Amino acid sequence: MEITNVTEYQAIAKQKLPKMIYDYYASGAEDEWTLQENREAFARILFRPRILIDVSKIDMTTTILGFKLSMPIMISPTAMQKMAHPDGEYATARAASAAGTIMTLSSWATSSVEEVASTGPGIRFFQLYVYKDRKVVEQLVRRAEKAGFKAIALTVDTPRLGRREADIKNRFVLPPNLTLKNFEGLDLGKMDQANDSGLASYVAGQIDRTLSWKDVKWLQSITTMPILVKGVITAEDSRLAVENGAAGIIVSNHGARQLDYVPATISALEEVVKGAGGQIPVFLDGGVRRGTDVFKALALGAAGVFIGRPVVFSLAVAGEAGVSNVLKMLRDEFELTMALSGCNSLADITRNHVVTEADKFGVMPSRL
């Protein structure tokens, strides 16, 4: 069967992957309300396309933290990619580089920062969990910097792991042939079988619950890499991110895997953008499955989007070629959406191009 959109990879991945692994990638926290809402909220945003504009040349290029990208679609950190495909993070890194975009490597990757760097040139960010042992964190950050990674995406929404009931039922644990490669040799690379989720037990034992804004300053003291704060969904925290010297914000609810009943990221985006006051770029992570979603995020103020699950599902189905195809499909759909909306470049995409629920129920914005 020919795959014609990103979502179709998920059903095929479900057939192909062992249940424990598929459920780990696919599930959300508790009732999975936010998981569903991350997608459904996009469907409630409608377009206001402009017509009779010359769209014979479309430019999707952008600059993120000084790096030139082919498009505003990047890869978010997803853990343990070798569970999906033997090539794991190597394949994702190569696909991102070939597409001219950014890959973010998870702290909990099944390939190390050095291994991913060895795949060749590419703009890569490193997602960081802060461990109780700060020497481990310091070492990891230094290794990422030495391996040529360009920024840190600091995950700030996980002082404890969300309650993912599928993982509890499955007694999720990293398959025995794999390790968390960045922690190999530190006795932190193994995840033991537990009487609920092995990952939840691992997090409880290792991740620092005292993490606070002062630690953003501490991170700045040990690295020259810019720090993106990943997991912001309110204006208050957006302002604090600016005050504490973050280089950017990633609006994320951790793929709806942490606190259930938080808004979809696309619903929280405008609030966070307003809180940042144009001082630092704001990115959206969560629920992006179509080029139309990318356009909606940019119209609401995002500087770019990150995709997670589409990467692991396409990786499971077809390895590097699958990830490349996801990036190509999203790029092509986004280009088409721009053309049909009357936009030649990202700068042409404005708030006037979309109508949200708030617009429909509130007073129509003064922009009209």
Side-chain angles (χ1 to χ4, degrees):
M1 184 189 79
E2 187 186 353
I3 290 174
T4 54
N5 64 65
V6 165
T7 307
E8 287 174 354
Y9 277 109
Q10 182 163 352
I12 305 169
K14 186 175 187 175
Q15 292 166 355
K16 201 166 179 178
L17 290 170
K19 181 173 162 52
M20 181 189 80
I21 292 171
Y22 173 80
D23 285 354
Y24 170 73
Y25 291 141
S27 64
E30 297 186 354
D31 298 328
E32 298 188 335
W33 181 87
T34 298
L35 183 67
Q36 208 174 334
E37 179 67 3
N38 266 356
R39 283 297 306 129
E40 289 181 356
F42 275 109
R44 296 194 295 271
I45 300 167
L46 305 179
F47 290 125
R48 300 181 68 248
R50 300 302 307 276
I51 51 149
L52 293 175
I53 293 166
D54 177 354
V55 287
S56 56
K57 289 187 181 68
I58 304 275
D59 179 12
M60 289 180 285
T61 60
T62 189
T63 303
I64 303 289
L65 300 184
F67 300 104
K68 183 108 173 169
L69 304 187
S70 69
M71 58 180 174
I73 303 164
M74 298 161 282
I75 293 179
S76 49
T78 48
M80 314 176 212
Q81 291 181 13
K82 281 187 179 175
M83 293 196 307
H85 188 279
D87 295 344
E89 293 84 2
Y90 288 78
T92 303
R94 288 191 293 258
S97 180
T101 193
I102 290 165
M103 173 204 184
T104 315
L105 183 71
S106 169
S107 276
W108 296 337
T110 38
S111 312
S112 68
V113 287
E114 293 84 4
E115 287 171 335
V116 168
S118 78
T119 62
I123 306 156
R124 301 186 185 107
F125 294 173
F126 181 70
Q127 176 272 335
L128 182 68
Y129 283 115
V130 176
Y131 278 57
K132 289 173 183 172
D133 184 342
R134 293 303 174 92
K135 288 205 165 45
V136 167
V137 179
E138 212 164 319
Q139 189 186 350
L140 195 50
V141 168
R142 297 238 155 90
R143 279 172 58 198
E145 194 160 6
K146 192 175 170 206
F149 283 70
K150 303 301 184 194
I152 294 285
L154 175 66
T155 295
V156 294
D157 58 9
T158 313
R160 296 171 59 170
L161 203 70
R163 185 176 169 83
R164 305 166 191 178
E165 292 174 7
D167 290 348
I168 296 168
K169 282 189 172 73
N170 294 330
R171 299 283 185 264
F172 173 80
V173 71
L174 189 61
N177 59 318
L178 298 173
T179 56
L180 301 178
K181 273 285 187 174
N182 288 314
F183 302 99
E184 223 176 23
L186 295 168
D187 295 329
L188 298 172
K190 286 281 177 214
M191 193 186 303
D192 299 321
Q193 194 79 44
N195 61 2
D196 58 10
S197 154
L199 184 63
S201 302
Y202 180 82
V203 168
Q206 302 295 346
I207 301 303
D208 192 347
R209 295 183 188 182
T210 72
L211 191 70
S212 68
W213 286 108
K214 72 179 187 310
D215 297 300
V216 176
K217 298 270 193 229
W218 171 74
L219 266 180
Q220 288 164 339
S221 77
I222 64 166
T223 183
T224 58
M225 286 184 286
I227 294 159
L228 302 170
V229 180
K230 179 177 182 284
V232 174
I233 51 174
T234 64
E236 295 92 324
D237 285 333
S238 180
R239 284 190 283 272
L240 285 167
V242 172
E243 283 168 26
N244 285 279
I249 289 167
I250 302 174
V251 178
S252 170
N253 52 37
H254 209 113
R257 295 158 76 78
Q258 283 300 101
L259 180 62
D260 201 11
Y261 298 98
V262 295
T265 48
I266 193 68
S267 305
L269 177 61
E270 272 200 293
E271 176 183 329
V272 175
V273 168
K274 285 194 180 97
Q279 292 180 71
I280 56 175
V282 175
F283 306 97
L284 176 119
D285 168 63
V288 173
R289 300 292 182 273
R290 285 279 188 189
T292 50
D293 300 335
V294 181
F295 187 101
K296 288 171 185 179
L298 268 61
L300 294 175
V305 304
F306 285 87
I307 55 165
R309 285 187 181 91
V311 171
V312 286
F313 292 141
S314 59
L315 183 65
V317 172
E320 183 184 338
V323 180
S324 290
N325 195 37
V326 157
L327 291 169
K328 183 184 186 306
M329 285 192 291
L330 286 174
R331 179 193 171 87
D332 291 348
E333 288 178 12
F334 178 52
E335 183 178 30
L336 181 60
T337 307
M338 284 178 68
L340 295 178
S341 298
C343 299
N344 291 293
S345 71
L346 303 192
D348 293 337
I349 302 172
T350 69
R351 183 61 176 79
N352 291 328
H353 284 100
V354 294
V355 181
T356 66
E357 292 282 275
D359 301 339
K360 285 180 263 183
F361 294 119
V363 181
M364 283 305 267
S366 56
R367 61 192 168 79
L368 302 177

